[in-house]
Structure formats: structure tokens, C-alpha cells
Amino acid sequence: MKRFTLLLFAFALQTVHAQKNIDPTPEDISTAKKLREKYSKDDVAILEAAETITFELGKKDQGVSVTNNVREKLMNIGHRADIQKAEFYDSESEIQEFSMKFRNDKVAYFLVKDEFYKSDDLFYNDYRVKYMTVDFPVQGYIYNYELNKKYKDVKYFTSLYFHDDYPTVKKEFVITVPDWLEVELKEFNFEGYAVKKSKKADPKGKGTIYTYSLENMDGFPKEESTPGPSYLYPHILVIAKSYTVDGKKNTLFNSTADLYKWYKSLVDTMDEKPDAMKEKVKELTANAKTDDEKIKNIYYWVQDNIRYIAFEDGLAGFRPDASQNVFQKRYGDCKGMANLTRQMLKLAGYDARLTWIGTKRIAYDYTIPSLGVDNHMICTLLKDGKQYFLDGTEKYNSFGEYAERIQGKEVMIEDGDKFIIGKVPVAEASANKEIYNATFKVDNETLTGKVNGSMKGESRASFLYGYNNTKNDKKENALQYYISRGDKNFSVSGIVTSDLANRDKVLTIEYNAGVKNKVSSFDNELYIDLDYTEEFSGLEFKERKTDFEFSYKKDYESNITLEIPAGYTVTRLPEPLNVNTTDYAINVSYEQKGNAILYKKHFLIKNGTIKKSDFTNWNAAIAGLKNLYNETITLTKL
């Protein structure tokens, strides 16, 4: 006990000593206040950030490794702050230093945790994270952060970004490339940024030092539905092309062919035993009369029966799992699901190929030989001179339809020792048509009537995804809740749908609806608010900093017919709203037709994106739409 007390006393002395001369100076406080004025929504800023990147030959020609050293000076620009610093690693990398120090260079003893990374829908075999929670007690407080991370293989070191989660006063990259290594530093999105760069001979040895720096950067905006960072921010792709040892040149990723060769080498190491699926394939194709039926039965079985789980595991993050493993486990990542689809189709006699693809989140194409080019794998079916792209992770897409996230993207299709570059077709917004027709009448102060709708393409897939992920034991209740969006004023009953398991037909739905608090009366007049959905009303972008990307291109139409109550006449209808641009259209109108009022809405998002450059016009359109939503129909008693 006495020894333990002495240890505590010693630690306390060490802590007191460590905290000498660490309080903010008047200059620090002044700097923090100025930065706070500039970055009013941030509590922490990076005053200085320097990253040094060096390369080293492995022993016995085991390739090229990379060491990335990061040093940051972090300042609290708010009154106090708690942040979390984290770094991920796996079997192909290791963290050699991960520390936080006071301004006097004494270690700040924050608890560092090192554990497997976990998420509800993600599975990581050896993907780990080191992290610490850092407490900044007062404005102007400074910590010095250091990270030393080693990548065992240069191909896994792909990119360098200037921006950070926090605003950064200055950031610098110093990349030392030895003469024996051929590296391309490919620059992206430098336009509009004052990036300074220089190149000089390495005074310590044979090589070249490249220096890049940038000042006064905002932190990454905390916004949803944004384009991927590779579209938005200045960054450098590091592409190691070859290295030379004892006069022998060793090719790394000098061309797309080299990238494919490496991918294929991983595929070739799989221990495939497709006979495990033979009986299932026979079962799925036994009663199918056409090729399309056979293909759909296999494809849809994979979608319905294999649980998608994202998988990160160093090398295994790029190598597909054997098809029989995915089949038996009933789960897999995109690579495993693509491989299972391929093998099952091959057993049925079709030409199916593994296919690499980068989703829309990635700005690059296959002219760039880098692991940063793709992040997904699908299966391509070659049939009758056409390419059909099958993505088992898209649970509700039909054969021949493609998710928005891969439309227009290049694919690399296996072809023995060669490869085929293709492109996923792009669908028009009309492919996702969603239309609702409703008829209502006034029943006291409630609107009652019937609604019928239809959905196809991505709108159908989105509906099925939302419905099936609504947490409710009774599917009927789940469907009611999903349709009403939980609005207590909107009641739904008598729901009839088409077969929700049929991906090949337009999804149809009809139900009885009641909408409360939409009718009011005063003297001889009725005031009716006929809109109970108010689509797009929340999509104003007053402070948004990046383009807004919808999950898919939209073609949405609503037609509501209101029966005019006996003994009333229409004395006022809201004015129409018509906005038409190259990227979107919003058209809303009221019209009297005989003894009824027709309320029509049509929203067309042609490319699935609202550009930041068009936010002013878009916001004006939404403001007009909200004003219209606030207006009512006026009926006067005869």
C-alpha cells in the first residue's frame, strides 16, 4: 500500500511538472479570438500541420514501404473543447507513434484506446482504430499531436489531402522520393487554391524532395448528401510506378494493365469449389423457361439470401472470398457477393465475369493505375453482345436496372490475362418515375379519400428499402407508418399493394386516407389546405458549402382531386408556380374542373444534383414553393 501511495505521489509530481508553462499566452488568446471570428462554428483549429513522406526498400526485395509522419499544432479557439483524434490501420499498416503533448513538449497522458473497429452494418476482420479524447480547458490552449504510420506496401498509400476536419492555418507535405523509386504525384482540384510547390535535390542522399503547402483552409463541412471529397478538395494521388534494385526494374502500378494484373493475382489465389452451389443452381433454374428467367432467379436469390456486410482486412479488402464460403455463410462483402453471382451463373452456363468499379463517390477513372480508383465489385454478364451489370448488394434493383451510385461509371471486367473497360449506362429521371393520384372530399374538418400510386426504378427500390427497414414486428403496421411518415394527422387504412417481392414490375399501392386539421370554416367560408406532404419544403441551402446530391434522379408527380362540397363555390385558388432550368423543374398548379379542384405537382431533378452555383435560384424556387404550401383554397357558401 505504501509503495502504491509513493507511485501516486510520483505521478502527481510528474503531472505538475508537465503542466508548467502550458497556459495560453496573451498572444495565443488573441490568435484564438481572431480564428474564432473567422471560423465561428469551429471550436478547434490546426495552426500548423506538417506531413513528411519517405520510402524504404524492404529486405530481400520485399517491395517498397512508406512512412508517413504527421505533426499538428492544435489550438482551442472556443471557450473549451473536447475532440477525438483517431487513426485507422490494418494488417498492411502499423502505427508506430500516436501521441499528444503539451506546448512544453511534455506528454499529455490521455487514455489511448486501440480496438477493432465496429459498426452496425460493417464487419472488419482486422481493421483497427487508435483513438483518444482530448480535453482543451480554455481558449487558446495548445497541444502538439504526432502520428507515425508505416504502410508495408506502397500501393496502399494512395492520397494526400490538404483539408482536415478542422480549419487549418497552414499545411505542408514534404515528399522525399529516392532515385530508385519512380513515383507520379498526380494533382487534383488545385484550381482556385493557392497551393505552393517546390522541387529540389535531396541534400542527404540521391533523391528529390517535393514540397506542397496551402494556407487558410476551412474544415471539411459537416454536411450530408455531398459529392465525394475527390471531386471537391485539392489533393495528391501518390502513384508508385516502379522501383529499381541492383539494376533490375520492378514494375508496380505503371499502367492500368499492372493494376489489373495485381487484382487478377489475388483472384487466382482463391480456392474455388463451385460444386457447393450446383444443386441450388439446378433448383433455381429447373422451372425457368427462358434465359432471362434463369438469370433473374439466380441474381435475385443472391440479393435476397446473402447478407451484405462491408469488409475491410488489408489484403482481403481487395481479394474476393471464395464463392462456396459466401454461399455457406450466407453473408459477404461486395467482392464475395459478386464472386458468388459469377460462379452460380457460370454453373448455369452463362459467361459471367468479376468486375471492378468505383462508385460515384470517386472522381477517377481507369486511366489512373491506383487502388484509389475503385471501391466496389460487381458481376458482369456477357450475353448476346451486351454487358449486364449485376450488383448483389443492391437488394431491390431488377435485372437490367442500375443504382444511381454506379451509373455512368467505368468498369474493369476480367478477361483472362487481359481486361475490358466498359461503362454502366445512365438512366433518365423518368426511369425512376413516381406518381400519386388522390381523390378527396370534405368530411366535417377532415379530408377523406383514396390514394393510388406507382413507383419504378430507384423510387421503387427506395420505397422497399425504407419499408423493410422500418422497425415494426407487424408488416402491415410498418407499411402504414412508412406511408404516413408517422404523421398523426394522416391516417392510412385498407392498403393494397402489388407483389412487393417482384422487382420486375412497377410497384403499385392504393389505400384509404384521412387527413385532419386541413379544413377550417369561418362565417360562410371554408379554407382548405390540400397539401399534406409538402415535398422539398425543407431543402433550402442557405449556409450549405457543397453541392447537394439526391440519392437518385427524381421524376415525382402528384395529382389531387378535391370534390367541391355541395352549396359552395370557389372564390380563391393559389397562383401557380413554374420553375424550369436545365437541372430541375418545379411545377405546381390549381385548376377548377367542373365540380372539382385539381391540384397538380411535378418535381423533376434531371441530374440528381443541385449545384452550389445554383443555390440562389434554387432557394428562391423553394421559398416560392413554401409560400404556396402556406396558401389555402377558399370556398364560399352560395
Side-chain angles (χ1 to χ4, degrees), residues 374-438:
D374 49 48
N375 62 345
H376 192 39
M377 183 177 278
I378 59 177
C379 171
T380 299
L381 173 70
L382 303 181
K383 181 177 177 291
D384 301 328
K386 295 182 179 180
Q387 297 173 350
Y388 297 89
F389 304 103
L390 310 181
D391 187 347
T393 70
E394 292 292 344
K395 197 169 181 64
Y396 305 107
N397 275 21
S398 66
F399 176 59
E401 289 184 352
Y402 308 119
E404 181 73 28
R405 68 184 184 130
I406 65 171
Q407 288 183 26
K409 293 295 293 183
E410 275 193 353
V411 295
M412 184 165 67
I413 306 167
E414 65 171 333
D415 190 30
D417 291 332
K418 298 181 180 179
F419 59 92
I420 301 167
I421 297 295
K423 183 172 284 190
V424 179
V426 176
E428 298 292 327
S430 57
N432 306 320
K433 185 71 176 183
E434 183 173 4
I435 183 168
Y436 294 92
N437 295 299

Side-chain angles (χ1 to χ4, degrees), residues 235-248:
H235 64 281
I236 303 163
L237 274 191
V238 181
I239 305 172
K241 293 179 171 291
S242 67
Y243 65 97
T244 302
V245 180
D246 297 330
K248 179 185 176 183

Side-chain angles (χ1 to χ4, degrees), residues 314-571:
L315 190 64
F318 296 93
R319 178 168 51 207
D321 196 4
S323 58
Q324 69 273 10
N325 294 340
V326 179
F327 178 75
Q328 291 163 357
K329 293 184 297 186
R330 293 295 198 265
Y331 69 80
D333 67 352
C334 64
K335 299 177 295 298
M337 296 177 77
N339 188 37
L340 176 61
T341 306
R342 172 185 72 151
Q343 292 293 14
M344 293 181 75
L345 287 171
K346 287 173 72 174
L347 284 170
Y350 300 104
D351 185 0
R353 317 275 186 94
L354 288 178
T355 301
W356 293 263
I357 182 173
T359 63
K360 276 194 171 179
R361 186 162 180 79
I362 295 178
Y364 323 122
D365 59 29
Y366 280 105
T367 61
I368 300 171
S370 167
L371 296 183
V373 171
D374 49 48
N375 62 345
H376 192 39
M377 183 177 278
I378 59 177
C379 171
T380 299
L381 173 70
L382 303 181
K383 181 177 177 291
D384 301 328
K386 295 182 179 180
Q387 297 173 350
Y388 297 89
F389 304 103
L390 310 181
D391 187 347
T393 70
E394 292 292 344
K395 197 169 181 64
Y396 305 107
N397 275 21
S398 66
F399 176 59
E401 289 184 352
Y402 308 119
E404 181 73 28
R405 68 184 184 130
I406 65 171
Q407 288 183 26
K409 293 295 293 183
E410 275 193 353
V411 295
M412 184 165 67
I413 306 167
E414 65 171 333
D415 190 30
D417 291 332
K418 298 181 180 179
F419 59 92
I420 301 167
I421 297 295
K423 183 172 284 190
V424 179
V426 176
E428 298 292 327
S430 57
N432 306 320
K433 185 71 176 183
E434 183 173 4
I435 183 168
Y436 294 92
N437 295 299
T439 57
F440 284 106
K441 64 180 181 180
V442 177
D443 185 359
N444 292 319
E445 293 191 351
T446 300
L447 296 176
T448 62
K450 184 176 284 292
V451 180
N452 64 76
S454 64
M455 290 156 272
K456 63 179 183 177
E458 290 275 78
S459 68
R460 177 192 60 219
S462 177
F463 178 91
L464 290 173
Y465 182 85
Y467 159 60
N468 284 291
N469 282 276
T470 299
K471 293 182 178 179
N472 198 310
D473 293 336
K474 296 181 179 179
K475 282 297 183 183
E476 175 68 17
N477 292 340
L479 195 54
Q480 288 179 345
Y481 183 85
Y482 185 71
I483 293 170
S484 68
R485 303 176 306 282
D487 185 350
K488 294 180 180 180
N489 290 314
F490 184 27
S491 61
V492 177
S493 63
I495 302 170
V496 178
T497 70
S498 57
D499 182 2
L500 297 182
N502 191 327
R503 299 162 179 76
D504 298 321
K505 291 185 178 180
V506 173
L507 188 156
T508 61
I509 185 168
E510 62 178 58
Y511 50 88
N512 300 317
V515 190
K516 298 178 181 178
N517 299 323
K518 291 294 182 181
V519 181
S520 59
S521 60
F522 185 76
D523 290 339
N524 293 323
E525 293 183 324
L526 283 180
Y527 302 95
I528 301 172
D529 178 2
L530 205 49
D531 202 302
Y532 56 92
T533 50
E534 298 190 356
E535 301 89 345
F536 295 93
S537 60
L539 283 182
E540 281 187 285
F541 307 128
K542 294 182 178 179
E543 297 184 4
R544 190 178 176 90
K545 297 181 179 180
T546 60
D547 296 350
F548 180 87
E549 290 195 342
F550 289 89
S551 53
Y552 55 88
K553 296 182 283 288
K554 293 184 179 291
D555 186 347
Y556 178 94
E557 187 176 343
S558 169
N559 302 295
I560 300 176
T561 300
L562 173 68
E563 178 185 320
I564 300 173
Y568 282 85
T569 186
V570 178
T571 51

Side-chain angles (χ1 to χ4, degrees), residues 10-11 38 116 138 163 174 285 290 426 429 468 533 548 582 608 624 631:
F11 179 75
K38 186 174 183 179
F116 290 109
V138 293
H163 284 71
V174 179
T285 57
T290 66
V426 176
N468 284 291
T533 50
F548 180 87
T582 56
E631 296 188 30

Side-chain angles (χ1 to χ4, degrees), residues 59-158:
K59 296 179 180 180
K60 298 181 181 179
D61 194 23
Q62 291 180 345
V64 181
S65 63
V66 184
T67 298
N68 184 22
N69 179 264
V70 179
R71 292 175 181 267
E72 295 174 352
K73 180 177 285 189
L74 301 160
M75 172 180 274
N76 175 22
I77 61 176
H79 294 293
R80 67 164 293 121
D82 292 297
I83 68 168
Q84 192 173 89
K85 289 293 287 186
E87 184 65 26
F88 297 91
Y89 67 104
D90 55 29
S91 60
E92 293 298 321
S93 59
E94 60 180 300
I95 296 177
Q96 300 171 329
E97 175 77 19
F98 182 72
S99 64
M100 196 72 68
K101 296 181 179 180
F102 296 109
R103 62 184 300 151
N104 62 0
D105 212 32
K106 300 294 183 180
V107 175
Y109 290 99
F110 295 112
L111 178 64
V112 175
K113 295 186 178 181
D114 188 337
E115 58 191 40
F116 290 109
Y117 184 69
K118 301 172 185 177
S119 181
D120 290 341
D121 57 350
L122 303 178
F123 175 75
Y124 299 93
N125 190 40
D126 76 342
Y127 202 47
R128 298 186 66 91
V129 58
K130 274 194 175 186
Y131 64 96
M132 67 176 100
T133 299
V134 182
D135 168 37
F136 291 82
V138 293
Q139 189 176 47
Y141 210 82
I142 289 174
Y143 288 110
N144 294 313
Y145 168 71
E146 182 172 3
L147 167 73
N148 211 55
K149 184 174 180 180
K150 183 173 182 177
Y151 297 80
K152 300 175 185 178
D153 190 327
V154 67
K155 64 172 64 73
Y156 293 102
F157 186 75
T158 57

